[in-house]
Amino acid sequence: MKQLIRLELRKIFSKRLTQLDLAMVLLLSAFLAFSTYQNKYASDGAGNEGTGRTAVEIDKAVAARYSGILTDEKVQQMISEIVPKSGENGLNAIYIYRNTIQSAVSARFSDIYGNWNGLRVSDVFGNETIKIGYVDGWLSTSQNLVKILTIFSFFIIMMIAPVFCGEYSGVDNIILSTRYGRTKCAMAKVIAGVLAALITSIVVLAVNLLMAFAFYGSEGLDCSILFAQLTYIEGSIPFNITCGTLLAYQAILAVTGALGVTGITLIFSAACKNQMIAFVVSAAVYGLPLFFPAAETSALFRLAVLLPAYHAQFVSLMSVGQMSGIFLYAVWAVPAALTFIVAGSIFSRKVFAKHQVS
Amino acid sequence: MELSAVDLTKRYGSKTAVNRLNATLTNGVYGLLGANGAGKTTFMRLLCTVQRPTSGKIVLDGKSIWKLGERYRDVLGYLPQHFGYYPDFTALDFLLYVAALKGLDNRKAKKVSSELLEEVGLSGESRCKIKTFSGGMKQRLGIAQAMLNDPYILILDEPTAGLDPKERVRFRNLISAFSKDRIVILSTHIVSDIEFIAERIMMMKAGEIIHFGRPHEITSRISGCVWECSVPTSRAEQYTVSLNISNLRNEENGRTVLRVIADQPPVAGAVKVQPNLEDLFLYYFKEEEQ
């Protein structure tokens, strides 16, 4: 069985299309990470400003001045020291951007003129203890990962689609006449498909996180996502979790999403006679749920976000009401992904075992 | 061991590819002859369990091959007429993959694969990717994979297609040496291949076996129907239109010797000759070939 799995894996990874697609995903990761880094802008309000590395250094320096637990005193200090007044350029102060800390405090504690809006920390965050610091680097990494993982899902579909139907172009004649052609072979294909999805997910995640570490360092991993600047949708996740926890959830959801989409693709790979049809149908089944409108308060939404497409678009899943205990609702993604894998495994093995050459 | 097809039928919609076929095969080499569409490939696929019959059954020593499942496939080797391959696999990888499917352990798989690559003349190309292979090389690799598990039942569909004469001789010797105490079934359009190595012939037409026996037995059925006659070369082409000619040989004296299949003497002076399998094939399938 080990040998079969090894050779099935080799079959998957020896395809030129798989190699090219994986290279493209990694190149896109590098491009996104680099362009995001280069396009960073920051000004400390004291004459220092810049882009790229300079911006990150300014942001980190500003964040360091206020890092620690967010208090009303710190809010007042930030309002007076770094929040710009609307009179400077006539804009709503909330939307003026100088640096990430300024943007975060303006969005929550200033009025449109840049003055304190009268809200206290407890009014905005309740009893939560909010640790602030430089979170911009890791949050932009998380944002990039959403794009990468969505594209990566289609890479997985492309990689897994030929696992069964790739044999229907002639090799099935040989496979099905062998001792284990209708039994262990199908199991080896399922295991190889799952392993390929896992391996590539880990590679893509590792490359993205390592690049982020190289660009931004480890600062901010222990800071709350709730004090993120206005542009980060991640900041709307209604739980006081750190950037590190956010990325850990995102990594887990990347893997569960990869497993889920693998399960779906295995089903259509076994059922379709043609690789292209298997790819198109799997991609449609994977992606279409993203276009169905469902109110976030409905029970249907709670189920819909467990579909693999929402694992990559993880903010929706992370925003669903918290379960009792220490875990977020998002942990349901794990059994959901296992369900897809088990369903894909059972269905594809049955179909392949009954397959007749034509 | 005895492999039997009992009332075996396979239909594709309204078309019947194999029609209530009955045959019992014991040790020996069986040549399957028939025109295109006669049902040879379907019959072989049914024997290899890659297709299920519409009705009837195939039994090995009285047990259904579908019920035997893995135990049956464990003693089976199959070379399909058209088979896909993995272009980025090397010849050795491909054999190791099929060996794993056949349940050979890793060490034995490597040993047998190397031996078979040697036997089919591909040992020098064992590390080359299959996408670089010619048609004949792929066919030889196909033959090797069929023999990996030292099968008791070996089924070869058009095994000599794409092989050059030297490779065909090598193949015939390989099969002859291999076939002792086994059932080997091979179909081919190259009648001479069957003539050389098959002990029994199964002739199929319209999904049925119309003749089953030793070569001389079944060729004797058209005894008296094969003639040779000498005609002027200038009129030879005219005869090819009106007569069923199995061979035509030009001679230096402006005459051509025709080998004609006909129930009556085709021209005056024609002499009866001993029929061979090619004559038999043409006798039954001339119209279908046209």
Side-chain angles (χ1 to χ4, degrees):
Chain A
M1 190 68 170
K2 264 189 207 166
Q3 173 79 337
L4 262 182
I5 295 168
R6 195 180 66 79
L7 288 163
E8 287 291 347
L9 271 173
R10 180 185 286 196
K11 217 190 286 177
I12 291 171
F13 286 119
S14 67
K15 285 200 169 69
R16 188 60 57 86
L17 190 64
T18 304
Q19 294 165 354
L20 276 175
D21 287 346
L22 184 59
M24 273 178 64
V25 171
L26 294 176
L27 274 176
L28 183 69
S29 300
F31 172 76
L32 267 182
F34 187 71
S35 64
T36 302
Y37 181 71
Q38 280 302 103
N39 285 315
K40 295 272 179 217
Y41 166 82
S43 146
D44 62 1
N48 297 317
E49 68 171 347
T51 57
R53 188 175 172 181
T54 311
V56 171
E57 281 169 0
I58 290 171
D59 262 335
K60 282 184 176 178
V62 172
R65 293 210 310 254
Y66 309 105
S67 69
I69 306 301
L70 183 66
T71 60
D72 290 326
E73 290 71 33
K74 272 189 189 165
V75 169
Q76 293 304 323
Q77 196 185 348
M78 287 187 276
I79 294 278
S80 64
E81 288 176 8
I82 57 171
V83 171
K85 307 303 172 197
S86 63
E88 290 177 8
N89 47 23
L91 288 172
N92 183 337
I94 293 169
Y95 299 109
I96 296 173
Y97 181 84
R98 277 187 179 165
N99 55 61
T100 56
I101 291 286
Q102 168 266 315
S103 174
V105 75
S106 295
R108 291 165 184 87
F109 295 103
S110 87
D111 61 16
I112 62 171
Y113 306 108
N115 301 311
W116 182 45
N117 61 9
L119 292 174
R120 304 172 68 82
V121 173
S122 58
D123 296 328
V124 178
F125 299 113
N127 294 327
E128 297 290 337
T129 302
I130 307 296
K131 188 173 181 191
I132 65 170
Y134 175 73
V135 295
D136 183 61
W138 287 106
L139 286 181
S140 58
T141 301
S142 169
Q143 220 168 41
N144 284 345
L145 266 175
V146 170
K147 295 173 196 162
I148 298 292
L149 292 174
T150 303
I151 291 167
F152 176 66
S153 303
F154 291 98
F155 157 77
I156 289 183
I157 295 172
M158 201 170 281
M159 179 173 71
I160 303 296
V163 164
F164 283 100
C165 63
E167 312 291 13
Y168 298 160
S169 56
V171 198
D172 51 352
N173 266 310
I174 291 174
I175 291 175
L176 296 177
S177 67
T178 59
R179 182 177 176 181
Y180 296 130
R182 290 184 186 272
T183 50
K184 284 186 182 174
C185 175
M187 193 64 214
K189 283 178 182 300
V190 170
I191 293 171
V194 170
L195 284 176
L198 278 175
I199 292 166
T200 49
S201 303
I202 290 166
V203 168
V204 168
L205 278 171
V207 166
N208 276 276
L209 295 177
L210 283 172
M211 281 191 297
F213 185 76
F215 285 142
Y216 308 112
S218 61
E219 279 103 322
L221 282 173
D222 59 345
C223 295
S224 173
I225 60 165
L226 293 183
F227 199 65
Q229 70 182 70
L230 201 58
T231 49
Y232 287 116
I233 192 173
E234 284 79 358
S236 67
I237 293 171
F239 306 112
N240 184 20
I241 55 175
T242 63
C243 275
T245 307
L246 178 88
L247 284 158
Y249 267 99
Q250 193 172 16
I252 291 168
L253 291 174
V255 173
T256 58
L259 292 179
V261 76
T262 301
I264 290 173
T265 312
L266 284 172
I267 289 173
F268 294 107
S269 176
C272 299
K273 300 284 177 204
N274 176 292
Q275 296 179 37
M276 186 49 73
I277 295 171
F279 172 77
V280 171
V281 177
S282 303
V285 170
Y286 168 77
L288 280 180
L290 290 172
F291 298 97
F292 291 140
E296 289 193 17
T297 50
S298 74
L300 187 64
F301 183 78
R302 292 171 75 91
L303 279 177
V305 291
L306 294 176
L307 294 172
Y310 283 98
H311 297 200
Q313 309 279 325
F314 80 121
V315 174
S316 301
L317 177 53
M318 293 283 284
S319 300
V320 177
Q322 194 161 6
M323 296 162 62
S324 57
I326 57 166
F327 295 114
L328 301 186
Y329 178 78
V331 296
W332 279 105
V334 176
L338 292 176
T339 305
F340 279 107
I341 277 294
V342 170
S345 166
I346 292 171
F347 182 86
S348 58
R349 281 161 54 206
K350 271 195 171 173
V351 169
F352 195 68
K354 287 184 178 172
H355 171 69
Q356 293 191 53
V357 298
S358 51
Chain B
M1 283 191 179
E2 191 178 88
L3 184 66
S4 305
V6 183
D7 285 337
L8 193 67
T9 301
K10 178 69 182 176
R11 291 194 194 93
Y12 302 104
S14 59
K15 187 183 181 315
T16 304
V18 173
N19 189 20
R20 298 181 65 84
L21 186 148
N22 288 283
T24 298
L25 315 176
T26 52
N27 293 350
V29 181
Y30 295 82
L32 193 52
L33 272 179
N36 289 332
K40 304 187 298 291
T41 293
T42 303
F43 178 43
M44 290 188 148
R45 283 177 173 176
L46 293 170
L47 286 173
C48 294
T49 70
V50 300
Q51 282 189 340
R52 272 186 181 273
T54 309
S55 63
K57 60 183 177 180
I58 301 168
V59 291
L60 180 66
D61 290 339
K63 290 175 188 156
S64 161
I65 60 170
W66 280 93
K67 283 188 181 151
L68 286 170
E70 284 185 1
R71 275 182 292 161
Y72 173 68
R73 291 193 292 271
D74 197 25
V75 296
L76 178 72
Y78 176 43
L79 170 69
Q81 184 178 5
H82 302 292
F83 63 98
Y85 58 93
Y86 310 119
D88 292 307
F89 266 32
T90 65
L92 185 61
D93 285 340
F94 185 70
L95 289 189
L96 290 177
Y97 179 67
V98 179
L101 288 172
K102 293 188 175 203
L104 273 67
D105 68 59
N106 211 3
R107 190 188 296 176
K108 189 177 178 191
K110 279 181 183 164
K111 183 174 174 286
V112 177
S113 298
S114 300
E115 286 169 4
L116 281 168
L117 284 170
E118 181 78 44
E119 287 201 54
V120 298
L122 286 175
S123 55
E125 287 80 21
S126 65
R127 303 274 176 193
C128 296
K129 289 191 174 180
I130 304 176
K131 65 183 172 190
T132 64
F133 281 16
S134 67
M137 290 162 85
K138 285 176 198 160
Q139 192 69 3
R140 283 184 277 155
L141 184 62
I143 293 165
Q145 66 77 27
M147 299 170 79
L148 270 169
N149 55 333
D150 195 18
Y152 173 71
I153 300 164
L154 181 62
I155 297 174
L156 307 161
D157 198 353
E158 299 286 350
T160 50
L163 300 187
D164 63 31
K166 190 177 142 202
E167 289 164 352
R168 276 170 50 203
V169 170
R170 190 209 296 257
F171 165 76
R172 291 201 298 244
N173 294 339
L174 182 67
I175 294 301
S176 295
F178 180 82
S179 64
K180 193 173 181 308
D181 298 329
R182 295 166 209 262
I183 299 172
V184 179
I185 306 167
L186 60 100
S187 83
T188 175
H189 279 101
I190 302 165
V191 180
S192 60
D193 285 340
I194 284 185
E195 236 164 6
F196 272 105
I197 51 176
E199 294 155 31
R200 290 185 182 82
I201 307 291
M202 291 185 279
M203 186 164 271
M204 282 190 77
K205 190 173 183 179
E208 294 171 15
I209 292 182
I210 55 170
H211 290 300
F212 187 173
R214 295 185 183 279
H216 70 271
E217 287 170 4
I218 63 169
T219 52
S220 67
R221 289 166 194 262
I222 59 164
S223 202
C225 299
V226 184
W227 308 84
E228 265 193 9
C229 52
S230 177
V231 298
T233 301
S234 56
R235 294 183 62 193
E237 200 176 328
Q238 195 182 325
Y239 285 114
T240 59
V241 178
S242 56
L243 298 174
N244 187 0
I245 293 174
S246 72
N247 194 34
L248 185 151
R249 189 180 72 247
N250 286 325
E251 296 197 322
E252 286 175 358
N253 56 2
R255 296 189 69 81
T256 298
V257 176
L258 304 178
R259 188 178 176 95
V260 183
I261 296 154
D263 292 325
Q264 301 298 324
V267 292
V271 291
K272 283 181 190 171
V273 291
Q274 195 67 27
N276 60 28
L277 272 180
E278 212 158 56
D279 300 324
L280 186 80
F281 189 89
L282 284 173
Y283 183 82
Y284 284 106
F285 300 116
K286 178 70 177 176
E287 284 171 15
E288 288 180 31
E289 291 290 301
Q290 283 171 342

